[in-house]
Amino acid sequence: MTPRRPLRLAALALALSVFAGAGLAGNALAGEADKPQADKASTDQPLGVVELFTSQGCSSCLPADEFFAELATKENIVALAYHVDYWDYLGWKDTLSRKENTERQYEYMRAFGSRSVYTPQAVINGRSHVNGASRKEVDGALARMEGSGEGMRVSIKVSRTSDRVTIDAGDAGTGPSDAHVVIVYFDPPQTIKIGKGENTGRSMTYWNAVSGIQTAGMWHGKAQRYELPMSVISKKGGCAVLLQSVGKDGLPGPILGAALIHKP
C-alpha cells in the first residue's frame, strides 16, 4: 500500500555521551562484577540489517510481520520494525506507530530517489529496498550485498558492566571514513489485538518495534569507543547500534556495521 500525501521531515534529537577510543581502553574497572561482558551475537559482524516499515492497519503487512518475527530471532540479522502512522485513517491507530518512524521512511525515500513510500517496505543495509513480505527478495538482497562487499564491513563490538555499555567501532582500513553512530531503541515482543480497520479481529505479536532513535556520535574511519549508561538500555527492550553513513543532504546512507544490545 502507498500513502496519499507526503509528510514533513523533522530533525531527530541527538544526545548521548561519546568517548574517544584509545584513552578509555586502558581504564581499569572496579570490582569483579564490573568486568566487561561481551554481548552474545554482538562481537561478530552480522549478515546484515533489515529495517521493516509496517503498520497494524495495513492488511498487506501481516505476512511481512510474520516473516519479520523469524528474522528478529536470528542471531546474524539486525532486524528493526518501524511502525508508521499514515494508515491510521483507515480506522485503527497503530499502537506502536511513531511520527519519527514515518520520517525515517521518507528520508529513505528521498535517499533512494523514489516518488513515494509503501508498506511493507524492507530497507536492506540502508542501500536498497524490497517487498518486506517476500522472503526471496529479502534473503536475496542480504546474500547479494554480502557477496559484493556491501554487507557489514566494519566490526561493532559491544560489552557491558553493571553501569554502562561500551561500543567499540572498528577500523575501516581503506574503506569509508565517516558515519554516524545511530542508536535505535526497540520494545520487547508484544501481542496486539487489532480492533478496527482492515485487520479487525486479528492478533499479532510484534517484534523489535522501534521506540526511539538517537545519534551517539561520529565515526571517522578509525577505531573509536562510545559509552551509554546501562540505565538507558534497561528501560527498553534493547537497542541496535548502526554505523550509518549520511549524505551531504543529511539523508541516511549505507549501513557499514551493526550490533544488537539486548536488555539485561
Side-chain angles (χ1 to χ4, degrees):
M1 301 178 72
T2 56
R4 301 177 179 176
R5 60 184 184 278
L7 300 180
R8 285 185 173 180
L9 297 175
L12 297 175
L14 311 179
L16 282 174
S17 299
V18 182
F19 296 81
L24 289 176
N27 287 352
L29 298 174
E32 186 69 22
D34 282 342
K35 288 185 177 179
Q37 302 294 321
D39 263 24
K40 183 179 180 182
S42 294
T43 55
D44 297 322
Q45 293 169 225
L47 176 62
V49 178
V50 177
E51 296 177 273
L52 176 68
F53 293 90
T54 186
S55 174
Q56 296 170 6
C58 168
S59 60
S60 302
C61 290
L62 293 178
D65 295 327
E66 292 173 351
F67 174 43
F68 180 85
E70 296 179 31
L71 294 175
T73 60
K74 292 186 177 181
E75 293 185 352
N76 67 335
I77 300 291
V78 174
L80 300 165
Y82 298 81
H83 285 248
V84 298
D85 60 6
Y86 48 77
W87 293 125
D88 291 354
Y89 79 92
L90 294 176
W92 175 255
K93 178 176 172 54
D94 190 312
T95 60
L96 301 172
S97 68
R98 301 175 66 253
K99 179 182 177 182
E100 292 80 4
N101 294 347
T102 304
E103 289 168 351
R104 183 164 175 84
Q105 188 179 26
Y106 270 85
E107 289 173 349
Y108 271 129
M109 179 197 75
R110 293 185 178 184
F112 296 146
S114 302
R115 307 181 88 178
S116 63
V117 297
Y118 63 93
T119 55
Q121 179 186 37
V123 174
I124 313 298
N125 295 350
R127 295 178 180 271
S128 68
H129 62 97
V130 299
N131 181 352
S134 174
R135 184 185 302 268
K136 180 179 180 181
E137 291 185 29
V138 172
D139 289 346
L142 286 167
R144 183 173 62 255
M145 290 182 191
E146 178 71 7
S148 65
E150 295 182 333
M152 301 295 99
R153 301 170 58 183
V154 180
S155 65
I156 302 290
K157 295 186 178 181
V158 174
S159 59
R160 66 176 74 189
T161 64
S162 60
D163 65 347
R164 73 191 67 184
V165 173
T166 301
I167 302 165
D168 287 297
D171 195 307
T174 58
S177 59
D178 287 295
H180 288 187
V181 180
V182 181
I183 310 299
V184 183
Y185 299 99
F186 56 82
D187 293 331
Q190 50 192 304
T191 301
I192 305 295
K193 185 174 181 179
I194 301 170
K196 296 180 180 179
E198 293 186 343
N199 296 320
T200 300
R202 298 291 299 267
S203 292
M204 178 67 66
T205 299
Y206 293 100
W207 289 71
N208 295 7
V210 171
S211 59
I213 307 172
Q214 290 182 306
T215 297
M218 289 289 295
W219 172 84
H220 299 291
K222 300 298 182 181
Q224 191 165 344
R225 175 169 290 184
Y226 310 83
E227 291 189 347
L228 303 176
M230 180 61 73
S231 59
V232 174
I233 306 300
S234 62
K235 294 177 182 178
K236 310 289 184 179
C239 70
V241 181
L242 307 180
L243 196 65
Q244 185 163 30
S245 59
V246 176
K248 293 180 180 180
D249 50 9
L251 297 177
I255 296 173
L256 311 175
L260 283 175
I261 304 174
H262 295 287
K263 182 176 179 178

